[in-house]
Amino acid sequence: MPEKLTEMLMDVWTPLIILWITVLPSIYMAPLNQSQILPSGSSIGLSGLSGEQKVLNRSKRGWVWNQMFVLEEFSGPEPILVGRLHTDLDPGSSKIKYILSGDGAGTIFVINDKTGDIHAMKRLDREEKAEYTLTAQAVDRDTNKPLEPPSEFIIKVQDINDNAPEFLDGPYHATVPEMSIVGTFVTKVTATDADDPVYGNSAKLVYSILEGQPYFSIEPHTAIIKTALPNMDREAKEEYFVVIQAKDMGGHMGGLSGTTTVTIILTDVNDNPPKFAQSLYHFSVMEDIALGEPIGRVKANDLDIGENAKSSYDIIEGDGMDIFEITSEAQTQDGIIRLRKPLDFETKKSYTLKVEAANVHIDPRFISGGPFKDTATVKIVVEDADEPPVFSSPTYLLEVHENAAINSVIGQVTSHDPDVSSSPIRFSIDRHTDLERQFNINADDGKITLATPLDRETNIWHNITIVATETRNHSQVSRVPVAIKVLDVNDNAPEFASEHDAFLCENGKPGQVIQTVSAIDKDDPKNGHFFLYSLLPEMVNNPNFTIKKNEDNTLSILAKHSGFSRQKQEVYLLPIIISDSGNPPMSSTSTLTIRVCGCSSDGVVQSCNVEAYVLPIGLSMGALIAILACIILLLVIVVLFVTLRRHKNEPLIIKDEEDVRENIIRYDDEGGGEEDTEAFDIATLQNPDGINGFLPRKDIKPDLQFMPRQGLAPVPNGVDVDEFINVRLHEADNDPTAPPYDSIQIYGYEGRGSVAGSLSSLESSTSDSDQNFDYLSEWGPRFKRLGELYSVGESDKET
């Protein structure tokens, strides 16, 4: 308690003592030292120079002064006196007036215009404004005329320790690796003080740790934070909360302080090995599990995090190292055991494995701490499952001769149930692989038999699939491919490779090779083909040709003599027997056609026809073809010309739909009138020629013969063209012989409901009443002309 009381008293009295020491010299010494205005020519006795009074002579000046000072944050009952202005022109009367202007004049600083005393009216803050520049001037009180030029001076605000240090960047966060040695750098903090760093110790800072010891330390002047304890373990404590203090006045009593916090997190290093959660793992698995499927998971825990916690798994011992594999999962860091090879409960029912987990990244600084790995034992029990049948072989290859008898056994497949129950097996053929049903299989013993004849030359290989099914569980099915190869037997006779036509020149020589032929055999003997050629027995003494076997298994036909002639015999037929070397041997007879041809002197065949022999000398086949082509072309041109002329001379016939003129239909039957429908077919009158679907155009040439006009004299060059055209048009209009001729069309149906009534001349002639056609003029200009024509006709008849 006494110590705390003493500290409290010191905190109260220290500012007062500082204020006393700072303020009193400013008040009482300033007028006597630097702030007093001295009159020109005056002298001040200076002591301490030589023991004698010395005189200081000055030239005449209006103002002599230095800076003034005022203490910040001073607040007393009265304004504080900053300084006093005085001029040597002031005799002590009241005729001089002092005027103050500049920063804060009249508000912050006020001058007594009679005495020149300057007072501070407000509380000043150096951190807000450190100095003020003002201007002083002495003027006549009555006239306000300046007695001397104005002069500037500065009032400086003296600092006091009124600002505490501040951490502008706080709070702080930092990291440091775990297990670091003492003195490892963590971070650096910085505090600022608004007080004057030049005047006193108000801005001199000292740093210290209030919380966070003994783990961390701080340099008092540099504020660098370091580790203070070795081997701090992140797994034990990861985060630390440190409080840092910055104190001014050099850390002495009475100084102001500020604090900040630093959160320090230990980062991980690989200082912990992986550790299995248990030393023994048990798993069970069905024997029919698919390859690659997971069987179980093991876990090795690592207290580290991130990359330092990654582990790899491996099987290092056990009787199932080739049956199982283990991999690491990136997300969970589990070891997953998977199946590599099929399991068989009947063969082996359990496996024992030794699994190891090791860190992937090892820090060499901690390798001396021990091996960063761990092991565990894994026991796997195989459980029985109902398995499908198993064939004795994954594939079968069978061979059969193509002449094998129907129902003969080709081969056999075997299968068994691997389960303990050992269900019987039934065999079948997948008919999708044997669409022609060439094979059968015994359902009980798996013997494959032939169902239809085989032909190696048609199909050498037959691929079928055999299905094995358990009789107790039909869902358990297995399949196996069976390849059946058809073996060759000599069942095909050799024959010519192609139909040969040999050509023999009339000017050939004896012994000349006419043709070389080759033979083929559809069979495929093991040692290859070897053919024998011979002539028919009755052709052995053939006077014209002979044969010769070549080393390359071909046959050459040779002429025995020369002088062959097309006129004598154009074609020779030479039968040849071809035999193979099979067992039994097969043979066939092929006939070679030999044509006698005309050849050039160098043996090039030119013509093999008899007719060609009588052609003029020098006229080749190409020339004949060219002549024939020219003849055909001329015939085509003539036909086209005749066709065009025929089309040009045909008259212009207008179709029925386009015939706008009337036709005259003549018939000798008078008929019984309109009411008589039995004497003749009215449809025939309506369209007598339309029965066959075609109405010919019948134009009647008038009996009047138009006299030909006399030839006109040549028209002079100056004739009027319009007049010439009109004359020709008038002649054509009045020429009854010029086409088109007028024709009459008789309509068998007049229509119904016509307001005009019947226009038939036949009907009109049966009536005894006179006809008046004047009303037709009311129907328009067309009917008006018709009425005039009929009126003229009636008047002529009356006359």
Side-chain angles (χ1 to χ4, degrees):
M1 289 298 291
E3 295 179 355
K4 291 185 177 180
L5 181 59
T6 304
E7 185 175 353
M8 291 174 62
L9 292 175
M10 291 299 294
D11 290 340
V12 173
W13 283 103
T14 299
L16 296 177
I17 295 172
I18 295 172
L19 180 62
W20 177 265
I21 296 172
T22 306
V23 172
L24 289 181
S26 175
I27 296 175
Y28 297 100
M29 295 177 63
L32 299 177
N33 288 333
Q34 301 172 351
S35 301
Q36 184 179 14
I37 300 176
L38 304 178
S40 300
S42 63
S43 62
I44 297 178
L46 301 176
S47 59
L49 296 175
S50 61
E52 297 180 356
Q53 190 176 17
K54 296 184 180 179
V55 178
L56 181 58
N57 295 323
R58 297 188 180 186
S59 59
K60 185 176 181 179
R61 293 174 52 194
W63 300 92
V64 179
W65 55 17
N66 287 320
Q67 297 176 349
M68 293 184 182
F69 296 90
V70 61
L71 192 65
E72 71 167 335
E73 303 294 344
F74 180 79
S75 58
E78 296 180 358
I80 181 174
L81 179 63
V82 179
R84 178 177 298 168
L85 301 180
H86 187 70
T87 179
D88 55 359
L89 299 178
D90 188 0
S93 61
S94 58
K95 293 183 179 182
I96 303 297
K97 179 181 178 181
Y98 295 97
I99 298 174
L100 187 65
S101 62
D103 295 341
T107 56
I108 300 176
F109 302 102
V110 177
I111 189 172
N112 190 325
D113 58 354
K114 295 181 180 180
T115 63
D117 294 338
I118 301 175
H119 292 80
M121 305 302 293
K122 295 182 179 181
R123 185 174 180 177
L124 302 179
D125 186 0
R126 189 201 66 84
E127 288 71 36
E128 183 179 349
K129 191 172 180 64
E131 61 182 31
Y132 297 85
T133 301
L134 297 98
T135 301
Q137 189 174 23
V139 299
D140 186 272
R141 184 176 293 275
D142 296 332
T143 62
N144 282 332
K145 292 183 178 181
L147 301 177
E148 292 182 359
S151 297
E152 288 185 355
F153 65 96
I154 296 175
I155 298 178
K156 287 190 174 183
V157 182
Q158 289 184 326
D159 182 49
I160 64 171
N161 190 20
D162 59 342
N163 291 280
E166 294 181 355
F167 291 91
L168 300 179
D169 298 330
Y172 295 87
H173 296 271
T175 58
V176 64
E178 64 172 332
M179 310 301 290
S180 297
I181 62 176
V182 176
T184 302
F185 174 83
V186 179
T187 187
K188 180 181 180 180
V189 297
T190 302
T192 59
D193 196 321
D195 292 328
D196 191 357
V198 178
Y199 182 78
N201 294 326
S202 298
K204 187 176 181 181
L205 305 181
V206 175
Y207 298 89
S208 61
I209 291 182
L210 300 183
E211 293 181 19
Q213 295 175 334
Y215 305 104
F216 301 95
S217 63
I218 188 170
E219 291 287 341
H221 301 290
T222 61
I224 296 176
I225 301 174
K226 300 179 180 179
T227 57
L229 283 181
N231 300 329
M232 287 187 289
D233 193 2
R234 184 198 66 84
E235 289 73 30
K237 185 177 181 181
E238 183 177 6
E239 185 176 277
Y240 293 86
F241 190 76
V242 180
V243 179
I244 304 297
Q245 175 184 265
K247 191 173 184 181
D248 58 13
M249 298 300 294
H252 294 93
M253 189 177 296
L256 303 178
S257 63
T259 60
T260 189
T261 59
V262 182
T263 302
I264 302 175
I265 297 177
L266 298 182
T267 57
D268 185 59
V269 297
N270 192 11
D271 58 339
N272 294 282
K275 186 71 177 178
F276 281 103
Q278 56 194 71
S279 59
L280 180 62
Y281 293 87
H282 291 275
F283 300 107
S284 61
V285 60
M286 299 297 293
E287 64 172 331
D288 59 350
I289 186 174
L291 298 181
E293 289 293 320
I295 297 174
R297 292 171 176 258
V298 296
K299 176 72 172 181
N301 298 315
D302 196 323
L303 297 177
D304 297 322
I305 59 175
E307 293 291 329
N308 298 321
K310 287 187 176 181
S311 299
S312 61
Y313 296 87
D314 195 13
I315 300 175
I316 58 176
E317 293 181 9
D319 53 359
M321 295 181 63
D322 59 337
I323 305 296
F324 305 95
E325 64 180 359
I326 186 170
T327 58
S328 178
E329 189 178 54
Q331 296 293 336
T332 62
Q333 287 297 304
D334 292 345
I336 304 176
I337 301 175
R338 301 179 185 272
L339 185 65
R340 293 180 58 187
K341 294 183 178 180
L343 299 175
D344 188 7
F345 171 81
E346 290 73 22
T347 304
K348 190 173 180 61
K349 297 179 175 61
S350 64
Y351 296 89
T352 301
L353 307 174
K354 189 174 184 180
V355 179
E356 178 185 77
N359 277 147
V360 177
H361 305 284
I362 298 178
D363 194 333
R365 294 178 299 172
F366 309 104
I367 195 171
S368 60
F372 285 81
K373 61 180 67 176
D374 192 21
T375 59
T377 301
V378 178
K379 289 190 175 181
I380 302 175
V381 177
V382 181
E383 297 182 358
D384 189 23
D386 190 4
E387 299 176 89
V390 178
F391 285 94
S392 59
S393 174
T395 59
Y396 289 88
L397 175 61
L398 306 179
E399 294 182 347
V400 58
H401 286 89
E402 61 178 326
N403 61 347
I406 304 299
N407 295 327
S408 61
V409 177
I410 299 174
Q412 184 179 12
V413 296
T414 58
S415 177
H416 71 281
D417 184 5
D419 299 323
V420 178
S421 59
S422 185
S423 172
I425 306 299
R426 292 189 63 83
F427 298 95
S428 62
I429 297 177
D430 186 354
R431 291 304 177 182
H432 292 90
T433 60
D434 185 25
L435 298 176
E436 297 180 357
R437 295 182 175 269
Q438 291 187 291
F439 305 96
N440 293 324
I441 189 170
N442 190 304
D444 298 324
D445 57 11
K447 291 183 179 179
I448 302 173
T449 57
L450 184 63
T452 60
L454 299 176
D455 186 6
R456 189 202 67 86
E457 289 72 34
T458 303
N459 197 352
I460 299 178
W461 287 96
H462 297 271
N463 297 302
I464 62 175
T465 299
I466 305 299
V467 181
T469 307
E470 292 185 7
T471 57
R472 297 175 185 173
N473 186 359
H474 291 180
S475 63
Q476 297 298 332
V477 177
S478 295
R479 298 172 179 269
V480 66
V482 177
I484 301 175
K485 183 179 181 180
V486 181
L487 300 179
D488 183 51
V489 296
N490 192 25
D491 58 346
N492 291 279
E495 57 187 5
F496 280 148
S498 60
E499 293 295 334
H500 292 284
D501 278 346
F503 298 99
L504 173 63
C505 292
E506 291 179 315
N507 56 358
K509 299 178 180 179
Q512 181 181 354
V513 176
I514 301 173
Q515 184 74 29
T516 300
V517 295
S518 60
I520 57 173
D521 193 335
K522 295 181 180 179
D523 297 322
D524 187 18
K526 295 181 180 179
N527 298 325
H529 292 288
F530 182 78
F531 301 117
L532 298 175
Y533 301 93
S534 62
L535 298 176
L536 290 177
E538 59 271 19
M539 298 292 293
V540 173
N541 297 321
N542 189 321
N544 299 316
F545 307 102
T546 185
I547 59 175
K548 177 184 178 183
K549 172 69 182 299
N550 300 319
E551 295 181 358
D552 58 354
N553 221 17
T554 59
L555 178 69
S556 297
I557 291 83
L558 294 81
K560 282 187 174 181
H561 62 83
S562 60
F564 290 92
S565 174
R566 283 177 289 173
Q567 291 183 338
K568 181 179 180 181
Q569 185 173 351
E570 180 184 4
V571 178
Y572 294 89
L573 299 179
L574 183 65
I576 300 175
I577 301 175
I578 308 174
S579 304
D580 58 18
S581 58
N583 187 18
M586 302 290 292
S587 63
S588 66
T589 301
S590 299
T591 300
L592 180 65
T593 301
I594 302 175
R595 298 181 180 276
V596 179
C597 302
C599 302
S600 62
S601 58
D602 53 355
V604 178
V605 177
Q606 291 182 341
S607 176
C608 298
N609 298 325
V610 178
E611 292 81 2
Y613 186 76
V614 299
L615 292 177
I617 300 175
L619 192 59
S620 63
M621 183 60 66
L624 289 176
I625 294 174
I627 293 172
L628 183 60
C630 292
I631 295 173
I632 294 173
L633 181 60
L634 290 175
L635 290 176
V636 170
I637 293 174
V638 170
V639 171
L640 290 176
F641 180 76
V642 172
T643 303
L644 292 176
R645 289 292 301 273
R646 181 178 299 174
H647 282 291
K648 187 175 181 182
N649 294 331
E650 288 182 356
L652 297 176
I653 300 177
I654 303 177
K655 295 183 180 179
D656 298 345
E657 298 81 4
E658 300 176 357
D659 192 358
V660 297
R661 292 169 296 175
E662 298 179 348
N663 295 322
I664 296 177
I665 301 174
R666 294 186 179 185
Y667 54 91
D668 296 332
D669 192 354
E670 295 183 358
E674 293 182 353
E675 301 299 329
D676 185 6
T677 59
E678 297 178 356
F680 56 89
D681 188 3
I682 190 67
T684 305
L685 291 177
Q686 293 175 352
N687 191 4
D689 293 319
I691 299 175
N692 297 327
F694 175 75
L695 287 176
R697 174 177 158 178
K698 297 181 179 179
D699 292 338
I700 303 302
K701 186 175 182 181
D703 297 333
L704 178 62
Q705 297 295 328
F706 183 75
M707 296 301 294
R709 61 178 178 266
Q710 297 179 357
L712 299 177
V715 180
N717 294 334
V719 71
D720 188 355
V721 178
D722 292 338
E723 182 180 357
F724 176 79
I725 294 177
N726 292 331
V727 171
R728 290 292 185 268
L729 181 61
H730 178 73
E731 292 177 356
D733 291 339
N734 294 281
D735 185 2
T737 61
Y741 312 115
D742 291 335
S743 59
I744 301 174
Q745 176 69 39
I746 298 176
Y747 296 93
Y749 180 71
E750 299 180 1
R752 296 178 181 177
S754 175
V755 296
S758 177
L759 299 179
S760 174
S761 60
L762 297 177
E763 183 178 0
S764 301
S765 63
T766 59
S767 177
D768 296 335
S769 62
D770 296 334
Q771 298 291 328
N772 185 9
F773 301 99
D774 295 338
Y775 64 92
L776 293 178
S777 60
E778 299 176 359
W779 293 358
R782 299 182 180 178
F783 289 95
K784 182 178 180 180
R785 177 59 179 166
L786 183 61
E788 293 175 354
L789 292 176
Y790 273 87
S791 298
V792 172
E794 291 295 330
S795 61
D796 293 341
K797 184 170 64 174
E798 292 176 357
T799 303

